[in-house]
Every structure is written in structure tokens, then in C-alpha cells.
Amino acid sequence: MELANGRLRLNKLGSDVPVSNITPAEALILHIVHQGNNGGSTFGEDFEKITVVSNDKRSDNDEVRRLSAKYAQCVNKKGDKLVKLIWPGIAPKLPQKFAELDWKNINYDGVEVSAINYITQAPVAANPTK
């Protein structure tokens, strides 16, 4: 499984942060979580801001466990875990190479990620009352 470094675009203005040693599956999760704010340009206009740096021999199941723990707070509005929505079942097949991801056609219409307060890990109300 490829590992890469890149720049994760957070908004349409171009604010970004560095990410390192991410797998194609993790890049996909980051894209789904952030595409609403960045206009779908999560890793550059043509995803050119990803550089493969090495390969890792972890299994798909190990990667799902790692991502499930790391992104446990990423849920849809029903409370379903994002990782399990993308890769359901007991033997998921994850992308091994970034070239396998069809970036321009990645679309998870049924997955609406809830806003999370990353300090408290609590869901943020969509329409908070005053």
C-alpha cells in the first residue's frame, strides 16, 4: 500500500496543512470530510499535491482498524461511522495505490459528515439556538 505526503486543502481560499504518510484510503476519507469546504479540490486542482514516498505491507483489515480508530469521530448525521460506510463488511478491499482513485468521480452522495468539535469530540448542532 502506497504512503504519501501532501498538502490537504481546507477551504476554497487555498488554506492548507501538510499531511504525511497517508494511504490512498486515508486520502479518500480526508477528501470526503473536506470536499464540502474546499470545493472538491482537497489535494490540489488535479490532486497533484500528493507525493508517494514509500510502500507499506499492512493488510486492508489492519488499515481499516487504524482508520476506524483515527477517524472515530467522523460520522454521518445518523451517527454511522464514516469508515464503515465507505468499506462495509468484514473483508473490505481498499485502494493500494493513489492512481487507483478516480478523484474527479469520487462521490459519496449518501455520506453527509457531521460537524465535530475536535476539542470536545462532540457533534456540533447544524442550527444552534441562541
Side-chain angles (χ1 to χ4, degrees):
M1 179 174 302
E2 289 181 334
L3 297 176
N5 297 338
R7 306 282 309 175
L8 173 63
R9 189 171 175 184
L10 300 174
N11 58 39
K12 292 178 184 176
L13 299 174
S15 299
D16 63 6
V17 295
V19 292
S20 59
N21 292 316
I22 60 171
T23 63
E26 186 168 7
L28 179 61
I29 290 171
L30 292 169
H31 179 63
I32 291 168
V33 169
H34 293 284
Q35 69 181 342
N37 292 328
N38 64 31
S41 182
T42 310
F43 293 100
E45 294 303 323
D46 293 312
F47 297 92
E48 77 279 3
K49 294 188 179 180
I50 292 177
T51 304
V52 175
V53 293
S54 65
N55 284 293
D56 188 79
K57 294 185 182 198
R58 72 185 77 163
S59 72
D60 288 347
N61 285 334
D62 287 343
E63 180 64 355
V64 167
R65 279 191 290 278
R66 184 185 79 83
L67 295 172
S68 293
K70 185 172 183 177
Y71 296 100
Q73 77 280 6
C74 292
V75 297
N76 69 5
K77 294 183 180 189
K78 296 178 188 174
D80 301 320
K81 303 280 185 183
L82 185 59
V83 173
K84 289 297 180 186
L85 289 171
I86 300 169
W87 298 289
I90 58 172
K93 179 69 178 131
L94 276 61
Q96 302 298 305
K97 298 179 181 235
F98 286 89
E100 294 174 29
L101 297 172
D102 184 8
W103 292 109
K104 293 188 187 282
N105 294 314
I106 292 173
N107 187 0
Y108 284 87
D109 287 332
V111 178
E112 292 184 45
V113 180
S114 290
I116 296 289
N117 179 323
Y118 287 96
I119 296 171
T120 65
Q121 300 296 310
V124 177
N127 295 314
T129 57
K130 295 182 180 179

